[in-house]
Amino acid sequence: QGGAGGENAEGAGDKEKEKRKRKRKNKPKWKKPKINTYVYVQGLPLDTTEAEVAEFFAKFGVLRPDESDGKTPKIKLYRDEAGQLKGDGRICFLKEGSIPLCLQLADGADFREGSHPLKVQPATFSMKGDTFVERETAEEKKKRSKAIVALKKKERALDWGADDGVDDGRGLRIVILKHMFKWEELAKDPNATLTLQFEIETEVKKIGEFEKVTIFERNPEGVVAVKFKQAPAAEECISVMNGRFFGGQQIACDFWDGETNYVVKETEEEEQKRLEAYGDWLEAQNSDHDEEDGQGGQDMDDDSD
């Protein structure tokens, strides 16, 4: 019996070791981001705002929108314990390729004309403390991505300009551009739609003030709607854009007919695949939920968000 008791004790010990091993294996680990699209900036005015910083750095590339709403540029201005700005911050670009241009042109440049020269460098990330605490699980991130996608879908359905009709008394202001993209190419890259949006807004801004640019992502004709503030700008857009080549395709541009709905609905299976892909993309990003960034020995705890 003594031998049997020893074997039972040994077996229990092995089970406990295996249990601890599985626990260590499943424990969340901090991972250094493979792609860094953040820059760290010093020398900002103490009265600046996120909007002013966004306007300055948008000259060097598309700023990545925050995952919380899919719109607001992902910018963090650091504050002291009293809540006052410290003059440094972190800006996130959509693509890694924007970083070299930003470093070349923004480092040493005046933030405001004749004042506040900036020091700009790539942001660095490190784990805070000795233990990584996961602030958001993969499932929570996927739920968050689903909420963002649903919000974008609602905005696209209700607020692309069609609610005003063809002519609200200010003339024809909604322009439809076809062959602006190929859906299969947008579907491959979560960043592609944001990049396309930036490119189109940059072009139409040269023509006149606009209220909204809407990309109908799943439309097989690659349709984009632009709602201008004034009718003359819409007319000029048609004159400039119709027949022009964009992304290897010839654009067809005309006024909206007041009836056609360019929204293409997706099946539940397609939506599920897209949500999973977007959730995976969110997980791969170096967001405030996963990391602490450190620069120049300063404390950059993200808990203040």
Side-chain angles (χ1 to χ4, degrees):
Q1 289 183 348
E7 290 177 2
N8 290 337
E10 185 177 344
D14 291 340
K15 288 182 179 180
E16 185 62 29
K17 288 180 181 179
E18 186 64 28
K19 185 178 180 181
R20 288 197 300 268
K21 186 177 180 181
R22 286 198 303 269
K23 188 175 181 180
R24 286 195 301 270
K25 185 178 180 181
N26 295 329
K27 186 178 180 181
K29 296 180 180 180
W30 183 84
K31 295 180 181 179
K32 187 175 181 179
K34 295 180 180 179
I35 299 177
N36 183 13
T37 59
Y38 288 91
V39 294
Y40 173 69
V41 56
Q42 294 172 289
L44 293 168
L46 300 183
D47 62 347
T48 191
T49 63
E50 282 84 355
E52 185 182 19
V53 173
E55 183 179 358
F56 181 87
F57 282 93
K59 295 181 288 187
F60 313 117
V62 183
L63 300 181
R64 176 181 150 196
D66 194 280
E67 293 87 354
S68 61
D69 60 9
K71 289 182 178 181
T72 308
K74 195 172 182 64
I75 293 172
K76 182 175 179 63
L77 301 181
Y78 295 105
R79 299 176 181 272
D80 58 24
E81 293 181 356
Q84 302 299 314
L85 292 177
K86 297 165 60 178
D88 61 344
R90 186 186 66 192
I91 297 92
C92 184
F93 287 93
L94 189 63
K95 293 195 172 183
E96 191 178 17
S98 300
I99 302 301
L101 180 64
C102 179
L103 298 178
Q104 180 182 354
L105 299 180
D107 186 33
D110 289 341
F111 183 73
R112 293 174 180 165
E113 188 174 355
S115 66
H116 299 92
L118 301 177
K119 181 179 180 181
V120 183
Q121 56 189 311
T124 59
F125 293 85
S126 59
M127 186 177 75
K128 182 181 180 181
D130 299 325
T131 305
F132 172 60
V133 179
E134 190 174 39
R135 302 185 187 177
E136 188 176 47
T137 65
E139 186 62 30
E140 287 172 335
K141 287 181 180 178
K142 289 186 178 181
K143 286 182 180 179
R144 181 157 55 94
S145 72
K146 188 172 183 178
I148 293 172
V149 171
L151 177 62
K152 289 182 178 179
K153 186 185 294 185
K154 182 179 179 181
E155 290 177 344
R156 185 163 54 245
L158 300 178
D159 193 31
W160 67 273
D163 54 308
D164 287 342
V166 181
D167 188 344
D168 63 353
R170 288 183 284 175
L172 303 175
R173 300 186 297 120
I174 301 176
V175 171
I176 299 298
L177 300 97
K178 296 182 179 180
H179 316 307
M180 294 296 290
F181 61 89
K182 294 180 180 178
W183 165 241
E184 58 270 21
E185 294 179 357
L186 292 188
K188 294 177 183 177
D189 182 6
N191 290 333
T193 300
L194 293 171
T195 302
L196 178 64
Q197 183 97 15
F198 176 80
E199 292 173 347
I200 295 174
E201 289 182 355
T202 300
E203 289 300 312
V204 300
K205 194 182 297 182
K206 299 174 184 176
I207 298 171
E209 289 187 274
F210 64 92
E211 293 183 7
K212 191 172 184 66
V213 172
T214 303
I215 298 172
F216 297 95
E217 295 176 339
R218 303 182 60 77
N219 192 290
E221 292 186 285
V223 175
V224 173
V226 181
K227 182 180 180 181
F228 287 93
K229 289 190 175 182
Q230 301 295 334
E235 295 173 4
E236 179 67 14
C237 180
I238 294 174
S239 176
V240 171
M241 302 297 285
N242 190 44
R244 179 178 172 180
F245 281 85
F246 183 82
Q249 298 189 98
Q250 190 170 22
I251 301 171
C253 183
D254 204 347
F255 290 112
W256 178 52
D257 60 14
E259 297 180 359
T260 306
N261 183 359
Y262 295 99
V263 176
V264 177
K265 295 182 179 180
E266 59 188 346
T267 65
E268 290 186 6
E269 182 180 356
E270 289 171 334
E271 181 183 30
Q272 183 61 33
K273 287 182 179 179
R274 178 169 55 84
L275 289 174
E276 289 179 358
Y278 188 66
D280 292 340
W281 178 73
L282 281 180
E283 288 184 59
Q285 305 305 302
N286 41 5
S287 71
D288 289 344
H289 297 277
D290 296 320
E291 295 130 7
E292 176 201 10
D293 56 10
Q295 207 86 30
Q298 299 187 36
D299 178 19
M300 297 200 178
D301 186 2
D302 282 340
D303 289 340
S304 58
D305 277 354

